[in-house]
Structures are given as structure tokens and as C-alpha cells.
């Protein structure tokens, strides 16, 4: 009888060892499968992060270039502002208006005519349309009643009026 109990005991120990080995194998395989899935997810996340870093580096280079361009434009604008301040500090419009108002009027009207032509060109015109009569340019002689429009046209400032020319 002891032999039977010893045999049952040995079989039970071998069964327990076998069951333990099987349990260990199953849990190890499950852990390995989980680690593989996590590894795939991590590789995907790393790839996405690397692409993001590359994109950020590219954007940083673009922003640096744009910043340099803006700095150059700012310096030009500041230089132009300084130039304008210098010119305006040299001008004394009140004294000039009191001394020679006709010449100042001519200068102002000439600048207005230039601005008017520029606006006409920017808004789709050719800039050759005659200026309206209210934009007079005084010649250097000092008479302020002559029009800058030598053809005598341009009294109408209504841009809604269209002119038709005969077909050629």
C-alpha cells in the first residue's frame, strides 16, 4: 500500500510540476503577446513623434526666414520713417504758406495729382485719365489757377460715367 501512496504522491508531484510549467508557459506567452502589441504601438508613436519633430524643425526654419525678412522690412520702414521725420523737420509749412502760398499750393496739387494717378493705376485704370479740375498744379511761375490737365478736360470726377468711342 505504501507503494501505491508513494506512486500517487510522485504522480501528484509530477502533475503539479507539469501544471506549473504549463501555467508558466501560458502566462509567459500572454506577456510576450502583450509586449509585442505594446512594442508595435510604441514604434508607431515614435515614428509619429519623429515626423512631428521633423515638421517642427522645418517650420522653425521657415519661421526664422520669415522673421529675418520681417526684420529687414522693419529696418527699411524705420529708415523711411526717419527720412520722413527729417524731411518734415526741415519743412515749416506755416512759414512757407505765409511767404509763398501759390508755390505751396502748386507743390500740394502736384503731389495730389501724382497720388491721384497712382490710385487710378492701382484700381485698374491706366493712370492716363485726366485729373479732375480740382487738382490743379501751379507752374513754377506761381500762378495757382492753371489746371494740370493741358487738354482742358477732366472737369467731371464722376467715375460712374462711361465714355464710348466709335468702333474702328
Amino acid at each position: 500500500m505504501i507503494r501505491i501512496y508513494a506512486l500517487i504522491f510522485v504522480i501528484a508531484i509530477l502533475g503539479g510540476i507539469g501544471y506549473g510549467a504549463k501555467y508558466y508557459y501560458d502566462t509567459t506567452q500572454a506577456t510576450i503577446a502583450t509586449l509585442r502589441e505594446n512594442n508595435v504601438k510604441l514604434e508607431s508613436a515614435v515614428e509619429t513623434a519623429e515626423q512631428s519633430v521633423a515638421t517642427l524643425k522645418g517650420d522653425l526654419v521657415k519661421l526664422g526666414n520669415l522673421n529675418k525678412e520681417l526684420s529687414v522690412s522693419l529696418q527699411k520702414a524705420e529708415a523711411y520713417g526717419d527720412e520722413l521725420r527729417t524731411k518734415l523737420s526741415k519743412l515749416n509749412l506755416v512759414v512757407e504758406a505765409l511767404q509763398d502760398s501759390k508755390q505751396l499750393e502748386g507743390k500740394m496739387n502736384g503731389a495730389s495729382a501724382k497720388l491721384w494717378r497712382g490710385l487710378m493705376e492701382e484700381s485698374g485704370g491706366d493712370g492716363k485719365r485726366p485729373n479732375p479740375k480740382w487738382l490743379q498744379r501751379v507752374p513754377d511761375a506761381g500762378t495757382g489757377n492753371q489746371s494740370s490737365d493741358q487738354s482742358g478736360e477732366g472737369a467731371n470726377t464722376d467715375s460712374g460715367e462711361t465714355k464710348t468711342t466709335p468702333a474702328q
Side-chain angles (χ1 to χ4, degrees):
M1 188 79 154
I2 287 196
R3 267 188 189 188
I4 294 178
Y5 287 127
L7 186 61
I8 293 174
F9 181 72
V10 170
I11 292 175
I13 288 179
L14 289 176
I17 291 174
Y19 178 76
K22 171 93 169 102
Y23 176 77
Y24 177 76
Y25 177 79
D26 290 341
T27 55
T28 303
Q29 291 300 317
T31 304
I32 290 172
T34 303
L35 290 175
R36 280 187 189 141
E37 290 174 9
N38 289 342
N39 191 29
V40 168
K41 291 177 185 177
L42 284 174
E43 287 176 355
S44 174
V46 166
E47 184 178 322
T48 303
E50 287 175 351
Q51 289 174 351
S52 298
V53 167
T55 302
L56 287 174
K57 285 181 181 179
D59 289 347
L60 184 64
V61 169
K62 288 179 186 177
L63 288 174
N65 291 335
L66 289 173
N67 194 17
K68 286 178 185 176
E69 290 175 15
L70 284 175
S71 295
V72 169
S73 297
L74 177 63
Q75 289 174 351
K76 287 180 182 177
E78 287 176 347
Y80 181 67
D82 292 342
E83 180 183 338
L84 286 178
R85 275 188 222 94
T86 303
K87 286 181 180 178
L88 287 174
S89 68
K90 290 179 183 178
L91 292 177
N92 191 348
L93 294 178
V94 174
V95 172
E96 191 173 338
L98 291 174
Q99 289 177 351
D100 193 0
S101 62
K102 296 291 183 183
Q103 184 177 6
L104 180 61
E105 181 184 0
K107 288 180 181 179
M108 297 299 285
N109 286 341
S112 297
K114 183 178 178 183
L115 180 64
W116 181 262
R117 285 195 177 100
L119 288 173
M120 293 299 289
E121 288 175 5
E122 289 293 321
S123 63
D126 59 1
K128 295 180 182 177
R129 182 176 174 185
N131 288 326
K133 290 229 184 222
W134 56 268
L135 272 178
Q136 296 179 356
R137 191 177 126 250
V138 178
D140 292 334
T143 60
N145 59 0
Q146 294 182 0
S147 172
S148 63
D149 180 16
Q150 300 299 324
S151 67
E153 299 176 359
N156 185 2
T157 60
D158 183 15
S159 61
E161 182 180 310
T162 58
K163 296 180 182 178
T164 58
T165 58
Q168 293 180 358

